Amino acid sequence: MVSEYEFVGGYPTPETVRAAYDAVDLNRAIQCYRLFFPTVSGLAIMRGNAVLGLELNERFGTLATKPMHVGLTLNSDTPYAPLLLDLTDGPFVIEMPAGPLICIAMDLNQRWVLDMGLPGPDAGAGGKHLLLPPGFDGEIPGGFHVGRSSTNKVIVGIRSLPLGGDVPAATARLSTVAVHPLTPGADWVEPEFIDLDSLPQDTTPNAVEGSFAFWEALNEIVQTEPPLERFAVAYGELGALGIEKGSLFAPDERMRRILEAAAVEADAQLRVESLADRRPDRVVWPGIQWEWAALRFENGDFEGPQALDSEARDKWFFQAIGASPAMFRRDTKAGSLYWLGSRDSTGAYLNGSNNYTLTVPLPVPGKLFWSVTVYDARTRSQIQTDQGNALISSLFDLDNLGNEDSITLHFGPNPPRDAEQKWIKTIPDAGWFTYFRIYGPEQPAFDTTWSLPDITQA
């Protein structure tokens, strides 16, 4: 690209100064939006749960997570329990009982802190876990699995596997998790769990995406949480944009215009990266459209030996929340496996106006169960229709398969004849995608001896 900037005797003209600084600030804002998107998404989880009455350290919730519970690629496979913590006054203990619980703790930057339960060091046998606040230098007692947070606010998400399809028992199991400070004060009261099933919620960043409100949310975090040392350069870029700890965020008309434009541009870039992935390693089976929901990473924060895998990080956090070393480990020790389907056999994006089928070969290589969940491409949340359902699960819907060697699932605006329980309704003219999940995946799911065919238009 040829520069149109003009210089006289080596010095920029006033027009060049204005144009260059607009470009500099726009570029830095686009990069900051992308880098801090998971952080703002983490704040959205806090805000969305607070609206329902959850309180830090005091009141947690349980919910079955239906389509009215709007969250980035949440699913109805298992009941959830969101636990929101504040470690400002010191470390917190989480005591996991033995049983089929999957738990991850992440900080407000959505950086991994600790796995617990089945994917954690206790491996479902029960154990005590200790979450440390940033900068903690006190004595760490023995007998704990320890994780250190980069923020004072921590999001703990627990899922309870409904073995045998027993959702009430799985939900009740969530409230048996004990949470308390390492050194409770005299006024400490045990937290309560409230039922969130009947309460619509939205824990996505959809309300602030692509707008000036994104920067206001990010500024709130910068002002209230310690900076992440690894992103020191990025905090310098934020400072140049007017977001700096201890300073008032009050952009002038020019900077506000640039921040708004950057939010629109960066949000579009993230959507493209997430839903039009270009990397060859996204492919699960050659010649088939299914791809890995998350590109491979090992440490839970998309960090390799030498660099941050920003492409993989962008793809994941635009469409989902939370990550850990255990979540996408491609072996039989993983708790679950996720594949993304967004295109049909011709390579066209899935469209809610069309009818499609997916024929799943049986048996699916999973020790526990498998499921298919449909998401609205616009919100990346479970699709909302008058059917009130976005899930087909072998645990709930397909528990009498007998000796069949395959099962055909249906997606579209109209129910198929005599197969309505194997159908998820879609929204005409709206894009959708699906996650195919296997819980307790077995070796054929990884070595290509078993594969999913493409979704095909009916």
Side-chain angles (χ1 to χ4, degrees):
M1 180 181 296
V2 178
S3 172
E4 296 182 358
Y5 298 145
E6 184 179 0
F7 298 87
V8 177
Y11 288 103
T13 65
E15 293 78 14
T16 292
V17 170
R18 286 192 294 270
Y21 272 126
D22 282 355
V24 166
D25 288 337
L26 179 66
N27 288 336
R28 62 166 43 108
I30 289 172
Q31 293 308 311
C32 285
Y33 186 106
R34 291 156 57 96
L35 184 66
F36 288 102
F37 186 89
T39 302
V40 172
S41 181
L43 178 63
I45 297 172
M46 286 279 184
R47 287 176 168 179
N49 279 296
V51 168
L52 302 182
L54 270 62
E55 297 181 18
L56 298 169
N57 303 345
E58 297 179 10
R59 183 178 293 124
F60 309 139
T62 63
L63 70 163
T65 319
K66 299 301 182 184
M68 69 175 179
H69 302 126
V70 181
L72 297 184
T73 52
L74 297 182
N75 64 76
S76 304
D77 291 341
T78 70
Y80 284 75
L83 281 61
L84 308 181
L85 303 178
D86 186 348
L87 310 183
T88 300
D89 294 331
F92 257 74
V93 174
I94 297 182
E95 298 184 31
M96 299 290 294
L101 295 167
I102 298 174
C103 182
I104 177 177
M106 61 183 182
D107 61 28
L108 203 58
N109 295 309
Q110 292 204 63
R111 288 179 64 83
W112 174 71
V113 176
L114 198 62
D115 284 313
M116 294 168 269
L118 290 174
D122 53 310
K128 294 183 178 182
H129 307 78
L130 186 63
L131 305 182
L132 304 178
F136 181 79
D137 58 1
E139 182 178 350
I140 300 175
F144 290 96
H145 304 292
V146 179
R148 186 181 294 272
S149 175
S150 69
T151 60
N152 287 304
K153 293 185 179 65
V154 174
I155 301 164
V156 178
I158 307 175
R159 304 178 65 185
S160 181
L161 299 180
L163 301 183
D166 191 343
V167 175
T171 301
R173 189 181 302 118
L174 291 168
S175 59
T176 65
V177 176
V179 183
H180 58 83
L182 177 62
T183 54
D187 58 348
W188 169 251
V189 177
E190 292 294 325
E192 63 174 324
F193 283 79
I194 62 175
D195 183 357
L196 305 177
D197 270 359
S198 63
L199 303 177
Q201 69 170 212
D202 187 345
T203 56
T204 71
N206 288 336
V208 303
E209 288 175 9
S211 72
F212 184 74
F214 177 93
W215 303 107
E216 294 176 313
L218 181 54
N219 178 64
E220 177 182 328
I221 300 164
V222 169
Q223 300 304 330
T224 57
E225 293 286 354
L228 182 61
E229 184 177 351
R230 293 174 184 268
F231 291 172
V233 172
Y235 285 100
E237 298 284 72
L238 284 180
L241 298 172
I243 298 177
E244 186 174 19
K245 196 174 188 70
S247 298
L248 178 66
F249 176 47
D252 59 19
E253 182 180 350
R254 169 192 167 275
M255 183 59 76
R256 185 181 179 109
R257 170 177 53 80
I258 288 173
L259 291 174
E260 289 174 343
V264 172
E265 174 67 22
D267 204 70
Q269 292 178 6
L270 287 174
R271 182 174 290 274
V272 168
E273 281 187 294
S274 186
L275 300 177
D277 189 358
R278 64 183 177 180
R279 284 174 43 160
D281 57 345
R282 74 185 187 281
V283 175
V284 183
W285 304 285
I288 298 177
Q289 300 294 335
W290 289 96
E291 57 188 72
W292 294 101
L295 302 177
R296 190 164 192 162
F297 62 97
E298 299 297 336
N299 78 338
D301 293 316
F302 296 89
E303 293 171 342
Q306 298 177 337
L308 176 73
D309 190 336
S310 58
E311 275 191 310
R313 184 176 182 268
D314 286 352
K315 175 179 181 177
W316 177 248
F317 282 114
F318 188 76
Q319 63 180 270
I321 57 173
S324 82
M327 280 180 66
F328 299 105
R329 194 174 291 137
R330 297 180 189 174
D331 60 42
T332 56
K333 296 178 183 178
S336 55
L337 173 153
Y338 301 55
W339 290 315
L340 165 67
S342 62
R343 301 174 187 265
D344 67 17
S345 57
T346 70
Y349 284 116
L350 302 172
N351 187 303
S353 298
N354 303 325
N355 294 307
Y356 300 90
T357 61
L358 169 64
T359 299
V360 181
L362 299 176
V364 173
K367 295 186 287 291
L368 298 174
F369 63 96
W370 57 271
S371 69
V372 176
T373 304
V374 170
Y375 299 100
D376 188 321
R378 297 167 297 185
T379 65
R380 294 94 71 204
S381 301
Q382 291 186 86
I383 197 166
Q384 293 187 335
T385 68
D386 56 9
Q387 186 187 32
N389 179 54
L391 171 76
I392 296 175
S393 168
S394 66
L395 193 62
F396 305 121
D397 310 297
L398 310 172
D399 54 354
N400 295 309
L401 294 177
N403 296 319
E404 299 175 52
D405 59 7
S406 67
I407 183 170
T408 299
L409 309 181
H410 302 261
F411 314 89
N414 303 307
R417 181 174 297 181
D418 301 326
E420 195 162 339
Q421 89 172 80
K422 303 172 186 175
W423 165 69
I424 297 178
K425 187 173 185 176
T426 59
I427 303 170
D429 298 320
W432 63 273
F433 63 89
T434 183
Y435 273 12
F436 192 103
R437 292 176 170 90
I438 299 179
Y439 293 86
E442 298 173 302
Q443 190 57 38
F446 301 102
D447 63 15
T448 72
T449 58
W450 182 91
S451 64
L452 276 175
D454 278 323
I455 296 171
T456 59
Q457 190 168 337

